[in-house]
Amino acid sequence: SKLPIREKSFPREAELFSETEAIVKDDTLDHETKVELLSVPGFKDIEAFTLELFKLTRARTEIIICQMVLLKRFLKESKWSLRATTWRSLMIVSLRLAQRIEDNAVLSTQSLNRIYPLFTRSQFVELENTFLKLIDYRVIITTCQFQLQLHTTLRVSKTA
């Protein structure tokens, strides 16, 4: 069967974040895994990936909240939505930027490749630069923004 690819009206910059080419070309992935990676994820898929990402990176609560603020800002400013082939890379890039802001530290290349082997280090640098450009380099997170996101996250987690 065919792989579920093509997302219509994808901005040129969004293609940078797309996993499609890397997934299709990866000979180590079987067809079923490729179809799964190219399909729209369910809540459980997103939750599992995100929890594993936070666990592997040992992200503190403050970094996770900053990551959410940056990701929301990115989606608002770029007028994009999370897509089947971009959500993982956007999660990782926003987390790396949040780490830089909060800790002035970032995942090592080795750790990044272990967590997310679909992109090279240089590709991630390009993704980070594009992300920053699309949010107009606005990385400052005010106390009010932080508290609002924390409150929202706590409210959502209580209902989940």
Side-chain angles (χ1 to χ4, degrees), residues 19-31 34 37 117-118:
E19 306 162 332
T20 303
E21 187 176 331
I23 292 169
V24 171
K25 288 182 177 180
D26 191 334
D27 294 333
T28 64
L29 300 173
D30 61 34
H31 181 77
K34 288 181 181 185
L37 288 171
L118 291 176

Side-chain angles (χ1 to χ4, degrees), residues 69-82:
V69 171
L70 290 173
L71 184 57
K72 282 181 162 181
R73 184 177 292 164
F74 175 86
L75 295 172
K76 180 180 177 189
E77 295 298 321
S78 68
K79 296 179 178 55
W80 298 357
S81 58
L82 293 177

Side-chain angles (χ1 to χ4, degrees), residues 96 107-117 121:
R96 284 173 50 100
L107 286 170
S108 70
T109 305
Q110 184 180 18
S111 297
L112 184 59
N113 287 338
R114 207 173 42 246
I115 294 168
Y116 195 77
R121 182 188 183 287

Side-chain angles (χ1 to χ4, degrees), residues 35 90 100 112 118 123 129 146 152 157-158:
V35 169
L90 286 169
R100 279 204 182 109
L112 184 59
L118 291 176
Q123 286 173 306
N129 289 336
F146 183 89
T152 303
S157 68
K158 286 179 183 177

Side-chain angles (χ1 to χ4, degrees), residues 65-79 93-94 97-98 100-101 128-142 145:
I65 298 300
C66 289
Q67 182 241 5
M68 291 178 181
V69 171
L70 290 173
L71 184 57
K72 282 181 162 181
R73 184 177 292 164
F74 175 86
L75 295 172
K76 180 180 177 189
E77 295 298 321
S78 68
K79 296 179 178 55
V93 169
S94 58
L97 292 172
R100 279 204 182 109
I101 293 166
E128 287 174 2
N129 289 336
T130 301
F131 190 104
L132 289 167
K133 179 181 163 192
L134 289 169
I135 63 170
D136 200 24
Y137 300 93
R138 292 183 317 111
V139 294
I140 302 297
I141 297 169
T142 66
Q145 291 169 324

